[in-house]
Amino acid sequence: MALRADLLNGHGDRVESAGSVTPPLTVRLGLDALKAIGEETRIRIVALLRHSELSVTDLTDILGQSQPRVSRHLKLLVDSGVVEKHREGTWSFFHLAHDGPIAAITSAILDELDTTDADLTADLDRFHIVRTQRSLSAGEYFAQIAPIWDRERSLHASEDTVERTITQLLDLEPYSRLLDMGTGTGRMLQLLGVGEGIERVVGLDSSHSMLSVARANLEHAGLAGAELRQGDVYSPPFPPGSFDLVVIHQVLHYLDDPARAVTEAAQLLQPGGRLLIVDFGSHNHEFLRESQAHRRLGFDDTQVHGWFEHAGLIALDGARLDPPDADRDGLTVALWLGRARHETTSRRPASPTEGEPR
């Protein structure tokens, strides 16, 4: 099986789009991967993970096997590099490795599987049942918190208008690796994570409950390859240069130190990669601070462009969307776009007081 020629350098090493180099596949590693996949339950697990990342509990419900047995199979798959694991609070979720020759081998095997196989179709039927249950639970949670957003939504441009402006800004250049910091319901992943050339789509959020909502929404939308991670925007769990597009959508106004979050996001960009911030312009709606946990009452261009410069980003043309009612004191939605410099830039950590005083 041949790897794509555009992902190989002159020494035969596989070169990932983020600039890292994966060592060539050795015979031992290849055999370990094939042995891991080459067992009935494990190949069924691998086939299921192609549709969505799953927890041990999900897999025990789908496969009808004990948790210790499923956990043993998962450990072998993780140790072989076929599957990757990440923690979300006290939970662990598993997904197929998305890069490198082992991922290519796994994908090639799955491509050849008979989709009408009785075991695989039965697994997929149970997977859809588990997904429906997950979606119902997420919907109940979201129904509880959604009403508090109604008053805020009435003050700014419609979501359709905002999303249309986002896609118009970002569609000017292609991107392949997307990170949504503070992903919430996963809406930005649904909006931006599909299309030709997309290789990796990741959502980061500190809330397990919101990640459950996002997971259900992404599954319902059929975005099977998306990854969700629980983590802190001040310390995102990814190496520098992992993405060519990072989005921070309606997150900064909840933070004590938005400047630091911008600096951390900039560190994750490849040279030439872009950071999009969507948030409110400066306003005086104190009720958002009192009732909806907003820490900041919006931002102005000078603040955000100052954070860009501090983080080694070049400010690009953005957009501003006025409130729907000109006679009412509403909220302006601002879109700020920055680009990582192509040369290496020394970036110091942002100080807690940088930008607007608290």
Side-chain angles (χ1 to χ4, degrees):
M1 179 183 59
L3 297 175
R4 282 169 44 197
D6 61 330
L7 296 182
L8 296 176
N9 66 14
H11 302 288
D13 296 330
R14 184 178 175 90
V15 181
E16 305 304 337
S17 61
S20 61
V21 176
T22 301
L25 182 68
T26 64
V27 171
R28 175 63 183 273
L29 291 174
L31 286 174
D32 286 346
L34 292 171
K35 288 177 181 177
I37 298 173
E39 191 275 339
E40 181 183 351
T41 297
R42 292 198 288 275
I43 199 167
R44 290 166 65 191
I45 290 173
V46 169
L48 285 165
L49 293 179
R50 189 174 224 188
H51 297 282
S52 172
E53 62 179 19
L54 297 167
S55 67
V56 175
T57 301
D58 292 333
L59 288 166
T60 57
D61 290 345
I62 294 169
L63 298 171
Q65 299 184 13
S66 68
Q67 182 169 328
R69 183 175 181 185
V70 170
S71 295
R72 284 196 299 273
H73 286 307
L74 286 168
K75 184 178 186 306
L76 286 169
L77 290 166
V78 170
D79 289 346
S80 68
V82 173
V83 168
E84 295 176 354
K85 170 185 175 181
H86 68 91
R87 296 195 64 81
E88 193 173 294
T90 58
W91 289 58
S92 292
F93 284 88
F94 299 84
H95 64 94
L96 295 181
H98 54 77
D99 281 326
I102 291 177
I105 289 173
T106 305
S107 180
I109 291 172
L110 291 175
D111 287 343
E112 297 301 323
L113 285 180
D114 180 4
T115 57
T116 64
D117 178 88
D119 287 331
L120 296 182
T121 54
D123 288 346
L124 197 56
D125 288 342
R126 288 189 291 270
F127 164 78
H128 288 307
I129 293 172
V130 167
R131 187 170 66 175
T132 299
Q133 292 170 342
R134 187 193 281 173
S135 181
L136 289 172
S137 297
E140 291 171 2
Y141 169 79
F142 195 69
Q144 294 173 1
I145 66 172
I148 68 173
W149 291 345
D150 287 345
R151 185 178 175 190
E152 177 183 316
R153 286 197 192 101
S154 71
L155 294 173
H156 62 76
S158 70
E159 294 176 4
D160 286 345
T161 300
V162 174
E163 291 181 1
R164 185 165 57 249
T165 307
I166 289 172
T167 56
Q168 287 171 350
L169 270 180
L170 295 179
D171 282 352
L172 296 175
E173 298 178 26
Y175 55 89
S176 60
R177 296 189 167 215
L178 164 68
L179 171 65
D180 181 24
M181 293 180 65
T183 195
T185 64
R187 177 56 193 161
M188 288 298 102
L189 301 182
Q190 296 177 58
L191 179 68
L192 303 172
V194 296
E196 186 177 353
I198 301 294
E199 297 175 3
R200 189 181 186 192
V201 176
V202 185
L204 178 73
D205 204 286
S206 61
S207 168
H208 173 70
S209 296
M210 289 310 300
L211 287 173
S212 296
V213 173
R215 188 167 285 111
N217 288 340
L218 295 176
E219 289 174 351
H220 181 72
L223 203 60
E227 306 169 42
L228 295 173
R229 299 287 176 271
Q230 187 173 34
D232 190 342
V233 296
Y234 296 139
S235 184
F238 310 103
S242 296
F243 303 94
D244 56 5
L245 176 61
V246 176
V247 175
I248 308 178
H249 177 264
Q250 296 292 11
V251 171
L252 292 186
H253 60 250
Y254 289 110
L255 303 182
D256 286 321
D257 192 355
R260 182 179 168 192
V262 171
T263 297
E264 291 295 336
Q267 296 278 13
L268 301 178
L269 289 171
Q270 299 174 212
R274 294 175 295 165
L275 169 64
L276 174 67
I277 295 172
V278 183
D279 218 296
F280 297 126
S282 296
H283 62 86
N284 58 5
H285 290 287
E286 284 288 345
F287 85 90
L288 294 173
R289 187 175 271 153
E290 296 164 359
S291 65
Q292 293 184 223
H294 288 209
R295 298 290 290 174
R296 303 297 185 95
L297 298 184
F299 310 97
D300 59 39
D301 291 346
T302 301
Q303 282 178 294
V304 177
H305 290 165
W307 297 339
F308 280 0
E309 182 177 0
H310 178 82
L313 301 177
I314 302 167
L316 305 175
D317 290 339
R320 294 181 72 83
L321 302 174
D322 293 329
D325 187 346
D327 297 327
R328 190 178 175 193
D329 184 17
L331 294 168
T332 296
V333 177
L335 294 84
W336 295 281
L337 191 62
R339 185 191 305 282
R341 301 179 188 276
H342 287 276
E343 69 272 17
T344 302
T345 304
S346 176
R347 303 171 187 158
R348 62 180 174 82
S351 66
T353 57
E354 193 155 13
E356 175 187 313
R358 294 182 189 174

